[in-house]
Amino acid sequence: MSAHLLVSDLSASPGSRTIFSDLSFNLAPGDLVGLVGANGAGKSTLLRILAGLLEPESGRVQVSPASATIGYLPQEPRRSPANHGHEQLADPDIEAYLARRTGVGPAEVEMYAAADALGDASPGAADRYEIALQTWLSLGGADLAERSHDALAAVGITVGLDTKMSSLSGGQAARVSLAALTLSRYDIYLLDEPTNDLDLASLERLEQFVISLRAPVIMVSHDREFWLAPPTPSWS
Ligand SMILES: Nc1ncnc2c1ncn2[C@@H]1O[C@H](COP(=O)(O)OP(=O)(O)OP(=O)(O)O)[C@@H](O)[C@H]1O
Ligand SMILES: [Mg+2]
């Protein structure tokens, strides 16, 4: 899918301070935007608004087509029951973590709920199920389990899918997070500091993945090297 992100006149004041105002931009397929700024500048707040998790003070965020999936990948892992509403699993195993980060888990929940509604013959149930199924398929749900083993092996993770995320080291958890990213099939990507805790080989893998995407990407990173020497896009 060729997805666009359309942002107009966005303002945010999460505390008493306005952190940005009248922000307008459009992202098209192939756009890769690096978002840099001081701690507290508002990068994560912007991504959360774009992902629909926070209401802006004013302005509008649209995705086109409306069915486009947005992959908002917050800095992870959060090991504890978090203060963020979207964080539902306090200590997932790797399989559940991959399902959540790729969007396949939530899509599966909706698909089963839609299937139940089909049984009740509720109005609109057939359309709801069709949309849920298409979303799950487009996110790569059909073969996520098969692909997971290779993606984990590629980043050097050899423990089982039932291993708790909390039992991994920070670097190992970051590699699982990278594996989740490479497994994902979103139409738009909002990545919040995906470079944290990655070693050089993993950083290179992340770079290769990000530049190979045709989907629009916004990526927050304090890693200046990442922006100064990006590899050439493989599809240009
Ligand atoms: N829910 C909230 N209530 C009050 N203030 C908030 C809230 N969320 C964020 N802020 C404030 O908004 C500002 C921007 O925070 P944000 O987390 O977006 O910054 P950031 O650029 O991502 O920083 P960092 O580089 O440290 O990750 C900060 O001053 C923060 O204290
Ligand atoms: Mg942040």
Side-chain angles (χ1 to χ4, degrees), residues 14-15 17 19 37-46 75 192-193 222:
R17 189 169 63 96
I19 51 174
N39 292 133
K43 304 178 297 294
S44 296
T45 303
L46 173 60
Q75 190 177 336
D192 202 346
E193 307 206 26
H222 290 286

Side-chain angles (χ1 to χ4, degrees), residues 166-182:
S166 61
S167 70
L168 302 178
S169 72
Q172 287 173 320
R175 284 167 177 240
V176 176
S177 175
L178 175 59
L181 179 59
T182 63

Side-chain angles (χ1 to χ4, degrees), residues 1 15 57-58 70 88 100 136 173 214 226:
M1 178 187 292
E57 180 113 335
S58 61
I70 299 185
Q88 288 167 358
R100 177 163 54 81
W136 179 76
R214 299 302 303 261
F226 194 95

Side-chain angles (χ1 to χ4, degrees), residues 11-20 40-42 45-46 49 54-55 57:
S11 303
S13 313
S16 49
R17 189 169 63 96
T18 299
I19 51 174
F20 52 82
T45 303
L46 173 60
I49 290 173
L54 268 185
E55 278 294 316
E57 180 113 335

